[in-house]
Amino acid sequence: MSEQKKVTISTQNLAIGYKTKTVAKDINFSCNAGELCAIVGINGVGKSTLLRTLGNLQPKLSGSIRIKNKDIKEYSSSQLAQELGIVLTEQPSSKNLTVEELIALGRHPYTNWVGSLSSSDKMYVQHSLEAFLLNDLRHNKCHELSDGQLQRVLIARAMAQDTPLILLDEPTTHLDLYHKVQILKLLQQLAHEKQKTIIFTTHEIDLAIQLCDTILILDGTKNPFGEPCKLIEQKHFERLFPPEMVKFDAKTGSFKVNK
Amino acid sequence: MKEPKIYRISFLLLILALLFAWILNISSGSITIPFKAMLTVLFGGKVDVDSWNYIIWNYRIPKAFTAILVGGGLSISGLLMQTLFRNPLAGPFVLGISSGASLGAALLLMGTSLITGFTSFTFLNDASLAIASSIGSFLILLVVVLVANRIKDTMALLIIGLMFGSITAAIVSVLAFFSDAENLQRFVFWSFGSVGNLSAQQVMLLGGIVALGVLLSILSIKTLNTFLLGENYAQSLGISLKKSRLLIILATGLLAGVITAFAGPIAFVGLAVPHLTRQIFDTMNHRTLIPAVFLYGAILMLLCDTIAQLPNSANVLPINAITSMVGAPVVIWLLVRKRKMLF
């Protein structure tokens, strides 16, 4: 590559988990600006724990997380809010918020003490509304939205936060195939066009292979990381599930049920 | 968030309604004072009947201001609790905060005479009553917060609040059983709730503390708004959870505790007013809601007190009965009509 890409986030020998139990260790990866990265792995392997740890919502056990070549611990919480936006699986506490109100909350790190929106804040909100096809829904309450719409609203809020890094925990669960693809396409577009680093956890491995620039396969010990085609070549996906149940087809990049 | 200027007309109407309720409240009472005479007194004039001057300046005006402080303060405290506990049914009464204040008051009024053996309590004054019930409500609030941190289920939290209410009620009835008639009567009258009988000095003290509570709430506006997303999201937006939670709890405890101390445990205002306010102000932005809820609560309390005065009668009904009669149906109506209470 001719130009050196900007590293947004990297981890060295990161171990995650809880006081009593290590969930996964030796996690090493790094993502550049403009990249869409998926974290895949079986249920309970610690995808959400990893995401929450990267988002500084949960303390790491050991190793380091660096954001823009600075250790995450060196950021104050308000500085970090301008570097890193997050979309969790939990729904907003108040579903009485309108779409526009909820997205505008993403501007929180930039607004004054009562949260007045400046004209540039409003512009960010407007851009997010448009990018996620929410303009017609802007005055709707969140409890009136479908799962797919609400997910777009939550991602749009993270986009309005205007951070170089966005983390999403399972943004495609509960959605049908069309809406899964829609969300992932929007994320890809956001990463490539706005030069953001977007990391998300998912069970949609075949979609991730098609759409992502890099994939981290979380298995708790080796945690292979790299471009999808390289991971396929190295036969990492084959080891993800017990082969007597599902088989990975390297040609199509998808899983097949063993009949 | 929607800009507050959209609601300018609603605010203007609320302020006018407040003014109207205030005048209505002052003009009603056990002694009939002609409206014209009352206006003369209000604007600093003198009327022939001396007692009218006295009644208006020393009784009715302090009472009206107390009603404003009590209604507004309790409503803000209810709003803060609903946001903090992510629960549309939260309020000072439901979560047992008022029961805590009752326990404090009961221990002071009836418990001390039991322990010390003094039948009449000579050094008892209103300040000590206020302090005792504030401590009581703060303690219960702290316990509720500790429980809320461990239990994420909001329904469980409400049930625990109700249980605290039952426990305190039990202790209070034990105290009442052993207490002498005079102290028991004082406690019963306190528990009826009343916005009257406060001296100008006491009203100023109440006003000062309510102002402090409101100020803390105003400082928390931005945090409260992010809490609408949930605590994890609030944290990811750069909010320090511990600090901001403490500030909100302090504001709630001050408002609910001190108001209950001075006016007795007043039911349903804190729970119902935020929901009623959202019928007019269709927003979740606390920047709009805090002033709106204060105004709405003040109006409701003035009206409830006006009803409690039973115009043209010497009797005064317990205000707690009136607020329950107004508040409880409102909660039922909201639940039935909207199917689910959103906050």
Side-chain angles (χ1 to χ4, degrees):
Chain A
M1 222 175 289
S2 57
E3 62 177 310
Q4 189 70 33
K5 278 213 170 175
K6 217 168 70 178
V7 179
T8 318
I9 183 168
S10 63
T11 63
Q12 281 87 38
N13 300 323
L14 179 68
I16 54 167
Y18 304 88
K19 271 177 204 156
T20 50
K21 189 182 160 220
T22 306
V23 174
K25 57 183 185 171
D26 290 333
I27 302 167
N28 291 290
F29 75 95
S30 87
C31 286
N32 304 326
E35 278 183 8
L36 181 65
C37 170
I39 300 172
V40 301
I42 56 171
N43 275 337
V45 77
K47 295 189 296 294
S48 295
T49 312
L50 173 59
L51 204 87
R52 291 168 51 85
T53 312
L54 294 177
N56 209 28
L57 294 176
Q58 185 177 334
K60 60 173 195 265
L61 295 182
S62 64
S64 72
I65 304 170
R66 295 176 76 79
I67 289 178
K68 282 192 183 166
N69 276 323
K70 204 164 113 182
D71 196 277
I72 199 166
K73 289 281 164 254
E74 288 172 41
Y75 289 92
S76 73
S77 57
S78 54
Q79 282 171 333
L80 202 60
Q82 304 195 7
E83 299 295 339
L84 179 163
I86 198 159
V87 179
L88 300 162
T89 42
E90 63 182 57
Q91 308 238 319
S93 306
S94 169
K95 292 202 152 185
N96 213 11
L97 285 163
T98 64
V99 169
E100 196 175 3
E101 281 179 324
L102 197 150
I103 293 174
L105 280 175
R107 296 305 297 165
H108 184 280
Y110 308 91
T111 55
N112 67 359
W113 69 279
V114 280
S116 302
L117 297 175
S118 68
S119 52
S120 93
D121 291 327
K122 282 178 193 155
M123 203 184 69
Y124 276 105
V125 173
Q126 185 57 39
H127 282 173
S128 303
L129 278 167
E130 281 162 13
F132 286 90
L133 323 166
L134 294 163
N135 231 338
D136 298 335
L137 296 170
R138 62 194 305 160
H139 297 304
N140 283 44
K141 302 267 186 195
C142 286
H143 63 85
E144 299 165 341
L145 303 179
S146 69
D147 286 345
Q149 289 168 335
L150 186 62
Q151 193 62 52
R152 289 205 320 261
V153 174
L154 289 172
I155 301 172
R157 186 208 63 84
M159 181 189 160
Q161 201 174 332
D162 190 35
T163 52
L165 175 63
I166 298 177
L167 305 171
L168 305 100
D169 197 4
E170 304 205 8
T172 54
T173 33
H174 306 304
L175 303 182
D176 59 36
L177 185 63
Y178 168 74
H179 286 100
K180 275 177 185 159
V181 175
Q182 183 192 38
I183 296 273
L184 294 181
K185 278 269 202 191
L186 285 167
L187 289 177
Q188 190 191 39
Q189 202 184 334
L190 187 61
H192 292 172
E193 283 175 13
K194 307 260 176 189
Q195 286 299 298
K196 289 184 187 297
T197 306
I198 299 180
I199 301 176
F200 66 99
T201 62
T202 188
H203 287 293
E204 311 303 325
I205 298 171
D206 36 357
L207 290 180
I209 288 171
Q210 293 175 60
L211 288 166
C212 292
D213 301 299
T214 51
I215 293 181
L216 173 69
I217 303 177
L218 204 61
D219 58 13
T221 47
K222 286 192 192 128
N223 310 310
F225 170 78
E227 289 167 25
C229 46
K230 296 238 172 81
L231 290 171
I232 295 174
E233 275 172 31
Q234 293 159 4
K235 299 193 184 302
H236 283 298
F237 290 107
E238 272 87 340
R239 287 188 279 269
L240 203 51
F241 301 114
E244 62 271 18
M245 290 287 273
V246 274
K247 203 169 64 182
F248 184 74
D249 181 4
K251 258 182 229 150
T252 57
S254 60
F255 288 90
K256 294 273 185 317
V257 180
N258 263 357
K259 280 177 197 150
Chain B
M1 293 253 147
K2 244 181 234 175
E3 287 298 304
K5 67 182 171 208
I6 302 165
Y7 296 107
R8 223 173 252 168
I9 294 167
S10 307
F11 268 116
L12 196 70
L13 287 177
L14 266 194
I15 290 168
L16 285 178
L18 179 67
L19 211 62
F20 172 75
W22 189 72
I23 289 172
L24 188 72
N25 185 267
I26 290 176
S27 59
S28 68
S30 49
I31 290 167
T32 318
I33 299 174
F35 191 68
K36 226 180 197 172
M38 194 203 70
L39 283 185
T40 323
V41 174
L42 274 184
F43 287 104
K46 283 271 167 207
V47 283
D48 302 335
V49 191
D50 259 356
S51 64
W52 290 358
N53 275 316
Y54 185 83
I55 287 169
I56 287 175
W57 281 110
N58 291 296
Y59 184 70
R60 289 192 185 174
I61 288 181
K63 182 166 69 73
F65 276 115
T66 311
I68 290 174
L69 292 170
V70 166
L74 279 179
S75 307
I76 288 188
S77 138
L79 176 70
L80 298 191
M81 281 186 208
Q82 287 169 12
T83 303
L84 184 66
F85 293 113
R86 303 180 291 279
N87 194 321
L89 287 172
F93 203 76
V94 182
L95 287 181
I97 318 299
S98 303
S99 318
S102 298
L103 184 63
L107 280 174
L108 183 77
L109 287 171
M110 305 187 293
T112 23
S113 66
L114 276 182
I115 295 158
T116 56
F118 290 118
T119 39
S120 69
F121 204 62
T122 41
F123 63 88
L124 176 74
N125 55 27
D126 299 296
S128 57
L129 184 65
I131 291 166
S133 40
S134 297
I135 291 174
S137 56
F138 259 113
L139 284 180
I140 294 286
L141 187 62
L142 275 181
V143 177
V144 170
V145 167
L146 284 180
V147 172
N149 280 346
R150 292 174 141 256
I151 298 174
K152 294 288 170 207
D153 184 3
T154 48
M155 274 303 147
L157 186 68
L158 287 186
I159 294 165
I160 286 165
L162 287 175
M163 291 304 115
F164 277 130
S166 303
I167 294 169
T168 49
I171 298 174
V172 168
S173 56
V174 169
L175 285 172
F177 184 75
F178 288 109
S179 174
D180 59 59
E182 192 193 337
N183 283 327
L184 179 61
Q185 196 185 24
R186 286 192 68 165
F187 176 76
V188 169
F189 273 113
W190 175 83
S191 69
F192 278 160
S194 164
V195 290
N197 304 325
L198 260 63
S199 69
Q201 252 177 329
Q202 287 170 321
V203 175
M204 279 203 277
L205 180 64
L206 177 65
I209 298 173
V210 168
L212 186 64
V214 173
L215 184 75
L216 288 179
S217 320
I218 291 172
L219 290 176
S220 305
I221 284 177
K222 213 176 150 176
T223 344
L224 285 164
N225 283 339
T226 60
F227 272 25
L228 295 172
L229 288 173
E231 290 186 343
N232 278 327
Y233 281 114
Q235 203 181 347
S236 83
L237 284 166
I239 298 286
S240 149
L241 285 185
K242 262 190 195 153
K243 214 177 81 187
S244 45
R245 251 202 232 127
L246 188 73
L247 205 65
I248 296 170
I249 289 166
L250 206 62
T252 325
L254 270 180
L255 288 169
V258 166
I259 288 169
T260 311
F262 277 108
I266 288 173
F268 283 106
V269 173
L271 166 59
V273 170
H275 293 288
L276 287 170
T277 309
R278 279 192 279 265
Q279 303 295 310
I280 311 176
F281 297 87
D282 192 18
T283 177
M284 290 304 290
N285 193 340
H286 288 79
R287 190 178 158 190
T288 308
L289 280 180
I290 283 181
V293 155
F294 187 92
L295 288 172
Y296 208 124
I299 294 167
L300 191 76
M301 203 64 204
L302 281 170
L303 293 179
C304 283
D305 181 55
T306 311
I307 299 169
Q309 293 300 321
L310 284 181
N312 303 321
S313 144
N315 294 319
V316 180
L317 296 177
I319 193 143
N320 211 345
I322 309 289
T323 55
S324 299
M325 273 189 252
V326 174
V330 162
V331 174
I332 295 172
W333 170 71
L334 283 171
L335 277 170
V336 171
R337 209 200 59 166
K338 302 216 139 185
R339 294 294 177 87
K340 49 188 172 188
M341 271 174 112
L342 292 160
F343 84 103

